[in-house]
Amino acid sequence: MVASLKVGLAGLGTVGASVVRLIERQREALAARCGRAIEIVAVSARAKEKPRGVDLGSARFVADPVALATQSGIDVFIELMGGEGDPAKGAISAALGAGKSVITANKALLARHGIALARLAEERHVALNFEAAVAGGIPIVKTLREGLVGNKLSRIYGILNGTCNYILTRMEQEKLAFADCLKDAQRLGYAEADPGFDVDGHDTAQKLAILASLAFGIEVDPNAVYVEGISSITPEDLDAADELGYRIKLLGVAVATETGIEQRVHPTMVPKDSAIAQVMGVTNAVTVDADAIHAITLVGPGAGGMATASAVVSDLGDVARGVRTAPFGRPAARLEKSEKAPMQRHEGGYYIRLLAVDRPGSAATIATRLAEQQISLESIVQRHRGGRPHGGDNPASASGPVPVILVTYATTEDAVRKALAAVQGDKVTSGTPQVIRIEKN
Ligand SMILES: NC(=O)c1ccc[n+]([C@@H]2O[C@H](COP(=O)([O-])OP(=O)(O)OC[C@H]3O[C@@H](n4cnc5c(N)ncnc54)[C@H](OP(=O)(O)O)[C@@H]3O)[C@@H](O)[C@H]2O)c1
């Protein structure tokens, strides 16, 4: 009979307790599918006596997670404590160093130390699995690492932060301001008390850096990602997007260009009929463009105890079956360095919202400045001050700035920035122009 797989689990919070619950619930099916039983033999958390709402059976409590990670009685160490430093980092390094496979959901740690840890895992011929670190319950890591191994990938993009998608969805559907939606999200527990990491795009950037590594064979480096958050988006932008046939989503995008892999996180206009535009609320989604399959989109829960536990247990199943791949899909030594692609070279369509001063010739001046940069316009809408489209190039009747919305054909970021700087120099607009990149499917 094959010996059971003995698990040491550090972290019994939202995800850790759900992993205990899921292994118990699926005990027989897991044993049948993996060919051996899976048994949690030791656990660690900060507070030994804290009620966890799960049956820990005969699992030993080990106060020090690093000591747990190296115990001779465990085959695999699961890290679900979080945090990019110690004890998570020390415990994972110790487990790998002791020749034990490791499973973690810790994107912050992987974004910072993933490559060094992958090297260690490869040296010791053990697994370092992290399906739960990106997009919670969606099996995107396995899809990239294994499922699409025969494809050449050209682009991967996704909604990787449920908080941001929840806020944008409510802003769009209820015509609310960003600040009001954020307050509501905090009240309902969808946003942290300190929401900056989510709404400023950094959480998405960490996850994107991991996906870009798997998709394009580059080292994980969140510093190579251009990042913009969603706080400048207004209900007017969402309204205009709707009229123009788009929705606004915070996307993480990694794309192969002639000059390297461009990695960027920013509010993005996506066509309303695209798969990603249908994704509402806290749900996550990832679209992969690849030569043999054309495109696939995976949609599902990006967080939550049970959904994330599903991904952790999937990694555990691989260890139980003896399936092991290089953590980032190819040996760490063969990953290329990540370089920050200069955004000035980014090419695509742009949505631009300006406040034109109410003076004859303002719109013509704007059009001239865009033409000087060879920017062609797909559409131009001038609004009444009340917000309704006005059309054409006639100034509105009352005085005060008039919103003008421009949608460009494909151009470069450099051209857009230069044109807008010239427009501002001409003093035909007031305030800061809103610029949102368009991502076509
Ligand atoms: N929650 C999600 O939906 C989700 C989704 C995807 C990925 N993740 C990732 O999963 C990991 C865990 O998240 P979570 O939401 O489950 O966190 P959590 O609810 O805060 O749980 C953290 C657990 O780690 C334990 N812990 C913290 N510091 C420790 C230390 N120094 N020594 C021993 N134990 C320690 C805590 O012990 P006590 O309980 O005794 O305080 C707690 O049981 C994180 O890396 C997170 O980014 C979470």
Side-chain angles (χ1 to χ4, degrees):
M1 207 178 90
V2 187
S4 63
L5 181 78
K6 301 203 167 38
V7 178
L9 169 63
L12 292 170
T14 306
V15 184
S18 298
V19 166
V20 176
R21 208 169 286 127
L22 196 55
I23 290 176
E24 182 50 39
R25 197 157 93 187
Q26 292 293 93
R27 174 169 300 282
E28 283 177 23
L30 279 169
R33 290 170 184 159
C34 302
R36 63 200 290 203
I38 294 176
E39 206 186 334
I40 298 177
V41 296
V43 296
S44 184
R46 264 181 306 225
K48 184 177 178 188
E49 305 303 335
K50 190 162 155 185
R52 309 282 173 185
V54 290
D55 181 3
L56 291 168
S58 58
R60 292 186 306 281
F61 187 89
V62 181
D64 177 8
V66 180
L68 168 66
T70 52
Q71 286 209 345
S72 58
I74 68 161
D75 305 311
V76 53
F77 174 66
I78 306 182
E79 184 280 308
L80 295 171
M81 297 178 287
E84 62 178 51
D86 289 329
K89 179 170 177 274
I92 290 177
S93 307
L96 295 172
K100 298 184 197 297
S101 287
V102 168
I103 294 162
T104 180
N106 192 335
K107 57 173 188 283
L109 183 137
L110 289 164
R112 186 115 190 242
H113 307 291
I115 301 302
L117 293 172
R119 281 203 191 96
L120 185 54
E122 288 167 27
E123 264 167 43
R124 299 298 163 129
H125 306 288
V126 291
L128 170 61
N129 291 344
F130 46 83
E131 184 61 73
V134 183
I138 302 176
I140 185 62
V141 173
K142 211 179 237 302
T143 298
L144 293 172
R145 200 153 57 180
E146 297 164 46
L148 297 179
V149 77
N151 281 257
K152 181 176 167 57
L153 274 53
S154 51
R155 181 173 60 160
I156 178 163
Y157 59 100
I159 295 170
L160 302 172
N161 184 278
T163 306
C164 290
N165 206 51
Y166 172 83
I167 291 173
L168 289 172
T169 301
R170 289 209 51 201
M171 284 177 73
E172 179 192 326
Q173 292 179 344
E174 298 169 48
K175 308 207 178 301
L176 295 172
F178 169 78
D180 296 333
C181 281
L182 174 59
K183 260 188 233 141
D184 242 27
Q186 285 171 315
R187 192 175 51 78
L188 295 167
Y190 291 142
E192 304 281 335
D194 176 7
F197 190 66
D198 288 321
V199 300
D200 295 341
H202 301 296
D203 173 76
T204 301
Q206 287 186 341
K207 294 167 180 167
L208 180 70
I210 294 170
L211 292 185
S213 174
L214 289 157
F216 297 112
I218 55 175
E219 291 189 353
V220 185
D221 182 5
N223 295 322
V225 183
Y226 170 84
V227 188
E228 251 177 52
I230 60 168
S231 59
S232 71
I233 301 297
T234 66
E236 290 75 35
D237 296 320
L238 290 153
D239 248 15
D242 183 47
E243 276 172 37
L244 294 161
Y246 294 96
R247 290 215 166 96
I248 301 176
K249 299 289 182 189
L250 182 77
L251 291 193
V253 185
V255 55
T257 72
E258 279 170 14
T259 50
I261 307 301
E262 184 178 278
Q263 299 180 67
R264 47 191 166 83
V265 172
H266 50 73
T268 311
M269 293 242 194
V270 290
K272 253 194 236 174
D273 62 0
S274 62
I276 210 110
Q278 317 312 314
V279 178
M280 298 299 191
V282 293
T283 303
N284 282 20
V286 184
T287 297
V288 185
D289 294 341
D291 60 347
I293 51 136
H294 181 53
I296 53 162
T297 300
L298 306 184
V299 180
M306 269 309 194
T308 311
S310 161
V312 172
V313 172
S314 142
D315 283 343
L316 203 49
D318 275 352
V319 175
R321 290 163 161 152
V323 174
R324 182 169 63 83
T325 52
F328 290 97
R330 66 187 76 187
R334 303 197 58 183
L335 296 169
E336 309 267 333
K337 282 254 174 283
S338 271
E339 302 227 350
K340 190 161 187 165
M343 275 309 278
Q344 303 93 287
R345 283 198 224 139
H346 168 69
E347 287 181 10
Y350 284 78
Y351 157 99
I352 302 165
R353 180 170 52 79
L354 297 161
L355 279 177
V357 295
D358 193 6
R359 212 168 49 217
S362 295
T365 306
I366 294 168
T368 304
R369 291 305 192 185
L370 294 167
E372 281 169 7
Q373 297 298 328
Q374 272 85 48
I375 297 171
S376 318
L377 292 179
E378 189 178 305
S379 70
I380 173 164
V381 181
Q382 189 168 324
R383 291 179 176 252
H384 286 305
R385 264 165 230 93
R388 283 189 302 106
H390 182 87
D393 193 27
N394 300 324
S397 51
S399 60
V402 184
V404 176
I405 288 158
L406 312 164
V407 176
T408 78
Y409 283 112
T411 180
T412 64
E413 179 107 4
D414 191 42
V416 170
R417 298 291 171 195
K418 281 184 176 145
L420 291 179
V423 166
Q424 287 194 290
D426 293 333
K427 305 211 181 327
V428 292
T429 58
S430 67
T432 312
Q434 173 69 292
V435 176
I436 302 177
R437 298 168 191 90
I438 297 172
E439 197 75 29
K440 297 279 187 192
N441 46 345

